C-alpha cells in the first residue's frame, strides 16, 4: 500500500477483555516495529520484527502482550486481560530493511486504545 | 540505558521567524544515530532530519538544521522561516549504531505553536 495502515483507528474496550490491533506495512518492507505512546509521552518501543521473526521483543511490558507476523507482512499486536493502564496509542512502523542502518522508518497513524 | 531529554514542553514562534528546540541524550556508545520526528494531530510520526554520530557536519534539510554537539551530548533542531504547517509535536530520538538494536528511544516531546 501507499503507507503503513493500522486498524482499528480507535478502539474502546472493557477492562479484562482481549484486543487485537493490526498493522499492514508498506509493501516489500521487511522490518516492522510496534511502539506504544501514552498521553503526554514519547513513543516507547515494544517489539521489532525482521521478516517473520521477532528480532527484539525487549519492550513488551509483560506476558499479556504478544505480537505475530506469520507471513512477514501484516502484523497483529495482541493484548490479553486488558487493564486501564494499557490505554495508549499503539504505533506501527516499517522500513525496507533495518531502518537505522540506512532506510527511513515510516510510521502509521496509530490505533488509539481506551480501556474503560 | 540510553535516555533522551527534551526540556521544553512547549515553544512558540511567529510565522517566518526562527525557533530552536533542545534535546540532550545520554549514552556510552560512540556510534549512534539521532533523529527529529514531527507528529501532527493525525498522530503519524514523520521524520524531519537524521544525524549520524560519526559525521562532524551538521545535517540540514531545507528549512531544518541541527546543531550536534557530540561531547556535550546535545542535538538541537533549528527551524528557519517557520510556517503554520510546522505546528506539531516534535520528538527527539536516539538509536544505537550498526549492529545494535534497531529500536528508537524517544524524548517526551516539545509542542510547537506557530503564530500568524
Amino acid at each position: 500500500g501507499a503507507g503503513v495502515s493500522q486498524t482499528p483507528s480507535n478502539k474502546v474496550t472493557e477492562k479484562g477483555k482481549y484486543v487485537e490491533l493490526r498493522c499492514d506495512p508498506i509493501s516489500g518492507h521487511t522490518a516492522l516495529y510496534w511502539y506504544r505512546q501514552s498521553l503526554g509521552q514519547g513513543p516507547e518501543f515494544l517489539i521489532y520484527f525482521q521478516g517473520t521473526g521477532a528480532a527484539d521483543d525487549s519492550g513488551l511490558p509483560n506476558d499479556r502482550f504478544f505480537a505475530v507476523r506469520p507471513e512477514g507482512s501484516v502484523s497483529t499486536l495482541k493484548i490479553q486481560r486488558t487493564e486501564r493502564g494499557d490505554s495508549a496509542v499503539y504505533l506501527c512502523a516499517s522500513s525496507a530493511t533495518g531502518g537505522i542502518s540506512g532506510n527511513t522508518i515510516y510510521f502509521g497513524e496509530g490505533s488509539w486504545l481506551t480501556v474503560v | 540505558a540510553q535516555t533522551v531529554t527534551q526540556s521544553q514542553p512547549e515553544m512558540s514562534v511567529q510565522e517566518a521567524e526562527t525557533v530552536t528546540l533542545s534535546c540532550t541524550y545520554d549514552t556510552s556508545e560512540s556510534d549512534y544515530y539521532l533523529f527529529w520526528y514531527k507528529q501532527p494531530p493525525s498522530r503519524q510520526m514523520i521524520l524531519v532530519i537524521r544525524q549520524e554520530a560519526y559525521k562532524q557536519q551538521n545535517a540540514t534539510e531545507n528549512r531544518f538544521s541541527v546543531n550536534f554537539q557530540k561531547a556535550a551530548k546535545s542535538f538541537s533542531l533549528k527551524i528557519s522561516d517557520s510556517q503554520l504547517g510546522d505546528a506539531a509535536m516534535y520528538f527527539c530520538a536516539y538509536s544505537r549504531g550498526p549492529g545494535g538494536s534497531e529500536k528508537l528511544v524517544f524524548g517526551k516531546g516539545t509542542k510547537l505553536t506557530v503564530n500568524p
Side-chain angles (χ1 to χ4, degrees):
Chain A
V4 178
S5 176
Q6 292 188 245
T7 54
S9 179
N10 294 283
K11 174 73 175 179
V12 179
T13 191
E14 292 181 348
K15 179 175 176 294
K17 297 290 189 182
Y18 170 81
V19 166
E20 287 190 353
L21 307 175
R22 175 190 167 105
C23 174
D24 200 341
I26 293 172
S27 179
H29 280 192
T30 60
L32 185 145
Y33 312 78
W34 284 100
Y35 287 81
R36 178 170 70 174
Q37 186 174 20
S38 300
L39 193 63
Q41 304 293 318
E44 293 178 305
F45 171 79
L46 294 176
I47 188 169
Y48 158 54
F49 286 91
Q50 187 59 258
T52 60
D56 184 352
D57 64 357
S58 61
L60 294 177
N62 51 59
D63 61 5
R64 296 187 297 105
F65 288 75
F66 190 70
V68 296
R69 195 185 185 199
E71 298 179 357
S73 55
V74 171
S75 175
T76 305
L77 178 66
K78 307 180 181 191
I79 310 173
Q80 297 178 320
R81 305 183 303 280
T82 51
E83 299 177 357
R84 292 196 178 87
D86 299 334
S87 297
V89 175
Y90 290 81
L91 294 166
C92 180
S94 71
S95 69
T97 54
I100 307 308
S101 1
N103 299 100
T104 299
I105 298 176
Y106 296 89
F107 282 81
E109 294 187 354
S111 292
W112 191 344
L113 175 66
T114 302
V115 182
V116 298
Chain B
Q2 292 82 17
T3 58
V4 176
T5 302
Q6 293 179 251
S7 59
Q8 305 155 317
E10 296 188 26
M11 291 284 285
S12 64
V13 63
Q14 290 297 125
E15 197 175 2
E17 297 293 307
T18 295
V19 64
T20 299
L21 308 184
S22 300
C23 173
T24 59
Y25 58 94
D26 186 25
T27 183
S28 58
E29 304 288 330
S30 59
D31 194 11
Y32 48 87
Y33 299 84
L34 296 165
F35 307 82
W36 279 98
Y37 278 87
K38 171 185 178 181
Q39 187 179 41
S42 69
R43 304 194 301 243
Q44 186 177 27
M45 301 286 281
I46 301 165
L47 179 64
V48 174
I49 198 165
R50 63 180 278 167
Q51 174 82 41
E52 289 85 354
Y54 67 86
K55 290 186 177 179
Q56 293 184 339
Q57 187 172 6
N58 289 323
T60 63
E61 287 287 342
N62 301 313
R63 298 182 295 107
F64 299 87
S65 62
V66 298
N67 183 3
F68 173 48
Q69 301 290 327
K70 191 172 184 178
K73 296 180 181 175
S74 170
F75 182 63
S76 62
L77 174 70
K78 185 171 83 171
I79 306 174
S80 303
D81 185 26
S82 297
Q83 300 176 1
L84 295 176
D86 295 334
M89 287 292 295
Y90 285 82
F91 292 93
C92 179
Y94 163 99
S95 179
R96 291 175 64 183
S101 171
E102 301 286 345
K103 65 185 178 186
L104 292 162
V105 177
F106 286 88
K108 289 189 175 183
T110 297
K111 181 179 180 181
L112 178 66
T113 301
V114 181
N115 300 310

